[in-house]
Amino acid sequence: MGDMFKETKQYYEKNYYDQNIHDHIKKSVNEEINNGRKKSIRTHNRKSYYLATAAALFIAVLIGTSFLSPSVSHVMADLPIIGSIFDSEEEKKKIPKKVNKNQKMLNEEEEIKGKLREMGHSIGLAFYLPYEEIFTVGIKIEKETFQKTHAELEQQVSKLVHSYGRENYEVEVFRYIEGTHIERASYDEWGDWPFDLGRKDDIITSYLEDETGTSEHLNTSIGTGSKNGPNIITVYADTSETDVEALKASLPEKLKTVNFGTYDINIKVLGE
Amino acid sequence: MEEKSVEDIKDMSNKSKQSFLNELMETHAKKVYLLAYAYVKDKGMAEDISQDVFIKCFRYLDGFRGDAAISSWLYRITVNQSKDILRRKKLAQLKYPLKYFEKEQHSESTEQSYIKKNQREQVLQAVMDLPIKYREVLVLFYFYDQKIEEISKTLNEKENTIKTRLARGRDKLKNHPMIQERMI
């Protein structure tokens, strides 16, 4: 059975991937980095041990890869035994794990929520994201009101969070729209990989659901824009489950958000 | 892992990081893409996922620790990202590739189709037709040469769960009409 899989693996790698895909991925990633977002302030505020270990890793990785050309390492990675050795001796790194919040932090969250309610806000969710050093708040509010008061809301929340001695925390305030994708959000999801990307996707998808007035959750993914262009949110439609024409008709060309910028809307139809 | 000072990391500019990322993409983009494809079975989606994986890699490079291989880390992000996409899109059981296969069946007999199809393609399609929980384990085990322990970490499941799924996945594969003849 092993030989059968070995052959299939080689077939899969040879026939389902080509230079065009490779070039496209590299180009898109580099464009995103070169033209995309500024480095977050919170990155600079990370604790020194993260930086120190990262430094060690970078050095190890650079040394480890310097004597191996990409083509050689590529070929080696294709060989089952050599590949695994190559991987294990190559750069060694690990994903950051979700931070378990202590009781003090959980209590603070409840207190902040209580204070925000006292201020008259209707809170959908509000919690710390310790890994990213962000306090995120979803407020149930009308779109127009949110657009007008967003900056003020962030100031209010920021003041509250800082009053607990967490000056290093950024604040993210978004519109919590009931009956949309956002209702599935929780710290379990947002506090773990994919961190901000998943969170942003959840929030923006809920905005888009609100725009289209759809009662079903949209299948979306946030992608990168072209060079100097806007970001893109792709809506996936499975012909077996979706009235594609109705969906297309309901989607706006662009989605403007006060806290995450503007997104072009694309649609990908699956199963045609 | 030897610890370096904060000064070392400060010396590493974004440009150096990007250069390092390009090395990583050169080496691992293929594996990342094919792993994503094994989940979503859609070229465009697999490309989007690969792109997201490397962008996250760039963003969170500072936060990584060194007790796992970079490939394992990339695979774990890929798995998470792929599952996230599938969960959101309710496409956990993508019927998409099967539809293509069904179209072929309309134009020619199953037998003819099997003969024409490359045997490796048959095995691959049989793997791709498995439910995700078996497919991901088989793909990581046979196509990515990961050990049970590594798969356990990549998928965040217990080792015994992985062993069970690997065994059941193999059994299911043996019973798959496209592979049965080849196996027995």
Side-chain angles (χ1 to χ4, degrees), chain B residues 91-102:
Chain B
L91 295 175
Q93 291 285 345
L94 269 180
K95 301 172 184 76
Y96 179 38
L98 287 177
K99 285 177 184 170
Y100 282 116
F101 187 59
E102 282 160 9

Side-chain angles (χ1 to χ4, degrees), chain A residues 24 61 91 93-94 224, chain B residues 20 47 51 65 68 70 88:
Chain A
H24 187 243
V61 167
E91 323 88 33
K93 295 176 186 263
K94 191 180 181 181
T224 53
Chain B
F20 171 58
E47 276 190 28
Q51 190 181 316
R65 283 161 284 181
I70 186 86
R88 288 178 192 171

